Amino acid sequence: MAVTSSSERGSWNSKLGFILAAAGSAVGLGNIWGFPTKVATEGGAAYLIIYLLCTFLIGFPVMVAELSIGRKSGKNPVGAFKALSSNKFFPLVGLWGVICGVVILSFYTVIAGWAFGYAFEEIFYFLGWDSAAAWLTDTGNGPKNALIASVFMFGTIKIITGGVSDGIEKATKTMMPLLIGIIVIMIGYVLTQPGASEGVKEYLLPDFSRINAGLIFSAMGQAFFSLSLGMGALITYGSYLSKKENIPQAAALVTLADVGIAFLAGLMIIPAMYVAQAAGIEIFVGDQLASSTDLVFQILPALFHTIGGVLGLVLGVVFFLLLSIAALTSTISLLEVPVAYVIDEHNVPRKKAAWGVGLGILVISIIVSFYPSLIGTFDNIFNNLGLPIGGLLMCIFVAFVWKTDSALSEMELGFEGVKQTLFAKVWPVFIWIICPAAIAYNIISNFL
Ligand code: TRP
């Protein structure tokens, strides 16, 4: 986006540019930290199956809806609802999205800081600087967490103040294939180690008796989080999208890239847990996991350390740097939402908006840095509950206020003949009834 002032709204440089930016937003800690952690703690292969169903049956249709709202209105989430109807309630849905984004970003930067720190941990470990390495691995160290989270937030603000598109588009284009490459190498390595087959079974052979309302609720929240849905990030990104683009196709590509990387990350990390256990690292206490929020951050370095030597060092450093870049392309989308809101609705110049909002969120990040147990609480309220509720209300908006037919007319601009396709018959049914009913049912049964 060549956005420089509040008066001119930017656009993505190219078709691929948008897909890369949206995929960059989707692929992040959610795929490599959130997803494997939840598979490990909540139900193995049974969780994987429910997650895939939520992604394709609920997430994908909602993504198409968000992008259509964004492109039609050309606005931030609050402005978008104002632009498309005179209803007074829906702009509050946009505002709720902005709030979810603010809180999610506040803990996201702390976890991103862990990932970034581990790139250096690998170096210190290699050099034998054990106490420096140990300092970086202590995820409970408040001042350290706050320091690295601040570095991360400054980086995000800096990018948001300038032109977003060049940076994100370029970073994503080289990062994604590399990240996939390293994950595939690591999968190859892990699967040949003792203990791995136990993990593969856990990941791919479902025990359906583990499915319950809590698991479905968590998998649905994870699907929204991983696709960056439910808070208007894709309304905002859609607002920079050219009228020539094919929305359903772009949404499908982004969904597939996101799910593909999450699936591979699980195939690397779940077996690695069992390999680590077979090697004597304490992963389970009884049949409970020894830790959850920082599980992935214990398993991965252990893996790189057992590979050892220069190869272990290079793989470890490159992996954590790539993960940090993946997290950065996600924090950019999280910060862009409240910033676009302040620019559009309160007429603040971009630079001022980015610094004001970013530093405000950094204050919450610093609190989270000292109390990392807040991550679980925030994750539950603003991610597992907040995002699906946002998605539910967006479906209701498109179904009954703006109308699915208007959305299809918007899609028609870049996808000629869409109204004659099967998609145009099926997608509205999802938006009218299947998605809202499934989301509402899952939320209610979780609380009962
Ligand atoms: N999808 C990102 C991830 O998986 C996180 C993220 C970025 C996000 N933007 C978002 C989550 C907007 C919810 C809403 O890491």
Side-chain angles (χ1 to χ4, degrees):
M1 247 173 294
V3 186
T4 43
S5 78
S6 60
S7 55
E8 81 191 61
R9 285 183 69 85
S11 64
W12 305 106
N13 290 336
S14 62
K15 177 180 176 96
L16 188 61
F18 168 75
I19 291 175
L20 288 172
S25 161
V27 174
L29 297 167
N31 306 60
I32 288 160
W33 161 77
F35 175 69
T37 305
K38 290 179 182 179
V39 170
T41 51
E42 313 213 14
Y47 187 92
L48 170 65
I49 290 177
I50 300 295
Y51 167 75
L52 292 175
L53 287 174
C54 289
T55 300
F56 291 114
L57 299 182
I58 305 178
F60 171 70
V62 172
M63 186 185 288
V64 171
E66 268 201 41
L67 289 175
S68 308
I69 295 174
R71 195 176 66 180
K72 173 71 189 179
S73 64
K75 288 273 164 47
N76 71 90
V78 176
F81 288 110
K82 281 191 196 154
L84 300 184
S85 90
S86 55
N87 186 302
K88 292 273 173 291
F89 170 72
F90 284 96
L92 294 176
V93 175
L95 196 59
W96 169 245
V98 172
I99 294 169
C100 288
V102 164
V103 180
I104 290 175
L105 181 55
S106 75
F107 71 78
Y108 201 96
T109 47
V110 176
I111 305 165
W114 294 345
F116 192 49
Y118 268 105
F120 297 93
E121 188 272 349
E122 292 297 318
I123 299 175
F124 295 159
Y125 175 86
F126 180 79
L127 295 174
W129 298 359
D130 293 343
S131 55
W135 181 71
L136 284 169
T137 60
D138 181 4
T139 50
N141 181 331
K144 181 219 68 171
N145 287 345
L147 177 72
I148 310 183
S150 308
V151 170
F152 217 86
M153 185 64 95
F154 280 112
T156 308
I157 297 173
K158 203 74 202 122
I159 294 176
I160 292 266
T161 54
V164 182
S165 73
D166 291 348
I168 310 186
E169 292 180 26
K170 271 197 212 110
T172 313
K173 207 185 293 184
T174 43
M175 173 210 76
M176 285 254 227
L178 263 177
L179 187 64
I180 294 173
I182 290 209
I183 295 176
V184 169
I185 294 175
M186 295 306 290
I187 292 174
Y189 172 76
V190 169
L191 294 185
T192 58
Q193 300 300 304
S197 60
E198 184 97 3
V200 174
K201 271 192 224 142
E202 167 73 7
Y203 189 48
L204 297 177
L205 284 183
D207 168 2
F208 291 104
S209 70
R210 291 165 85 175
I211 298 178
N212 56 37
L215 178 148
I216 300 175
F217 179 69
S218 159
M220 182 172 69
Q222 176 61 26
F224 272 87
F225 184 86
S226 191
L227 295 170
S228 304
L229 291 177
M231 57 153 283
L234 291 176
I235 293 183
T236 310
Y237 272 25
S239 74
Y240 306 122
L241 183 60
S242 133
K243 295 284 182 196
K244 289 196 296 268
E245 304 307 347
N246 181 331
I247 291 179
Q249 188 195 50
L253 288 172
V254 172
T255 304
L256 288 174
D258 188 57
V259 170
I261 294 188
F263 177 78
L264 289 176
L267 193 55
M268 164 175 76
I269 287 164
I270 305 299
M273 282 170 52
Y274 289 81
V275 170
Q277 174 164 266
I281 297 171
E282 189 179 279
I283 302 293
F284 297 97
V285 180
D287 56 1
Q288 285 286 314
L289 280 168
S291 72
S292 61
T293 38
D294 56 359
L295 167 80
V296 167
F297 291 103
Q298 294 171 359
I299 302 295
L300 287 172
L303 209 61
F304 295 120
H305 296 173
T306 50
I307 294 177
V310 177
L311 183 63
L313 169 72
V314 171
L315 285 174
V317 172
V318 176
F319 177 85
F320 284 115
L321 286 180
L322 290 172
L323 182 55
S324 305
I325 298 171
L328 187 64
T329 55
S330 297
T331 52
I332 290 167
S333 82
L334 282 161
L335 183 58
E336 180 63 21
V337 176
V339 168
Y341 163 70
V342 173
I343 294 174
D344 288 350
E345 305 302 307
H346 298 283
N347 259 319
V348 178
R350 172 164 282 269
K351 213 167 175 173
K352 224 171 156 183
W355 282 103
V357 174
L359 292 179
I361 298 173
L362 181 58
V363 173
I364 317 178
S365 289
I366 290 174
I367 299 173
V368 178
S369 296
F370 284 88
Y371 302 97
S373 63
L374 282 173
I375 293 174
T377 313
F378 282 176
D379 188 46
N380 248 318
I381 302 174
F382 296 94
N383 165 21
N384 285 341
L385 185 62
L387 300 178
I389 286 184
L392 167 70
L393 294 169
M394 286 181 205
C395 288
I396 293 177
F397 177 79
V398 173
F400 304 107
V401 181
W402 185 40
K403 302 284 193 280
T404 44
D405 209 46
S406 322
L408 285 166
S409 301
E410 177 62 29
M411 288 177 226
E412 183 81 37
L413 300 176
F415 182 174
E416 218 176 297
V418 67
K419 289 193 175 177
Q420 278 74 53
T421 60
L422 180 64
F423 173 84
K425 310 217 161 34
V426 177
W427 176 76
V429 181
F430 276 81
I431 297 297
W432 293 329
I433 175 94
I434 298 178
C435 298
I439 297 170
Y441 179 81
N442 287 340
I443 292 175
I444 293 167
S445 55
N446 177 62
F447 284 101
L448 296 181

